[in-house]
């Protein structure tokens, strides 16, 4: 069976910290690539380095690319899914994720534009009280995709590979 493709599109992200946290989530959940629009991220990176992605390893293997128009990234067979608080959107618990998806998120201090919302194959929201921060939303979305997927990655071997070197904890009795 062909591997599914998962891309993330960020609309003009506000800060390197926002992007760093998204990159960490992207690596944790096996996202193929991350794209962003706007000038703010690059401009901020020129004067400082993002500090949120503190891991030496996590997030470094996922490509991060600037893009003029996020809609252009959705090649044939990829569904555009906007994640935003939009009237009429589908609640995430009810949403069935497409095999190949481009998930688009708004910036920390704004929203996805109506023009992009109008081009989406689906618009999804998470029924929270108030909005979450960008990285929290990305983590929730990707976890939901993982939980609803049929790939079974769960194993003690994965736990050993994922945790810190100084963590050798074990469940000895329940
Ligand atoms: C801090 S929010 C920005 C404010 C948000 N656009 C609003 O209207 O309240 C950053 C981004 O996270 C996503 N987001 C946050 N909470 C969300 C929720 N409950 N459902 C869907 N998307 C959410 C959206 O993509 C949003 O643009």
């Amino acid at each position: 069976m062909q591997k599914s493709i998962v891309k993330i599109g960020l609309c003009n992200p506000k800060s390197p910290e926002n992007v760093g946290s998204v990159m960490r989530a992207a690596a944790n959940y096996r996202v193929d690539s991350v794209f962003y629009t706007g000038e703010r991220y690059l401009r901020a990176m020129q004067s400082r380095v993002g500090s949120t992605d503190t891991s030496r390893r996590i997030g470094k293997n996922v490509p991060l690319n600037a893009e003029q128009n996020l809609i252009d990234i959705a090649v044939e067979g990829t569904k555009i899914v906007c994640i935003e608080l939009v009237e009429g959107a589908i609640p995430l618990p009810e949403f069935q994720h497409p095999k190949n998806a481009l998930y688009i998120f708004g910036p920390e201090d704004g929203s996805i534009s109506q023009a992009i919302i109008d081009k989406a194959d689906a618009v999804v929201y998470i029924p929270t009280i108030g909005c979450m921060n960008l990285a929290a939303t990305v983590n929730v979305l990707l976890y939901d995709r993982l939980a609803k997927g049929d790939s079974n990655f769960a194993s003690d071997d994965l736990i050993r590979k994922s945790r810190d070197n100084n963590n050798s904890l074990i469940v000895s009795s329940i």
Side-chain angles (χ1 to χ4, degrees), residues 36-97:
Y36 67 92
T37 59
E39 304 294 324
R40 296 194 294 183
Y41 172 68
L42 257 193
R43 222 181 289 135
M45 281 300 282
Q46 281 162 1
S47 52
R48 62 195 169 107
V49 176
S51 59
T52 307
D53 188 358
T54 52
S55 166
R56 286 183 302 265
R57 177 173 58 87
I58 291 173
K60 300 289 189 281
N61 296 330
V62 181
L64 172 66
N65 294 302
E67 193 53 55
Q68 287 288 83
N69 184 349
L70 292 177
I71 300 296
D72 294 344
I73 303 160
V75 292
E76 209 182 316
T78 301
K79 299 291 185 196
I80 298 169
V81 182
C82 286
I83 313 298
E84 186 57 270
L85 289 159
V86 179
E87 291 174 45
I90 304 164
L92 182 60
E94 293 173 18
F95 183 62
Q96 295 304 313
H97 294 264

Side-chain angles (χ1 to χ4, degrees), residues 83-85 104-112 124-128 130-135 137:
I83 313 298
E84 186 57 270
L85 289 159
I104 297 182
F105 298 84
E108 201 58 44
D109 55 351
S111 303
I112 301 173
V124 174
Y125 80 107
I126 299 144
T128 52
C131 73
M132 292 180 283
N133 69 40
L134 172 61
T137 312

Side-chain angles (χ1 to χ4, degrees), residues 4 6 97-101 103 141-149:
S4 61
V6 179
H97 294 264
K99 182 170 191 290
N100 300 322
Y103 296 106
L141 184 280
L142 293 175
Y143 174 73
D144 186 80
R145 184 182 169 98
L146 176 86
K148 290 173 181 169

Side-chain angles (χ1 to χ4, degrees), residues 154-172:
S155 70
D156 280 350
D157 190 43
L158 179 61
I159 292 170
R160 283 189 289 272
K161 284 179 182 151
S162 298
R163 66 186 177 182
D164 288 342
N165 289 338
N166 59 2
N167 176 356
S168 54
L169 294 165
I170 190 164
V171 179
S172 50

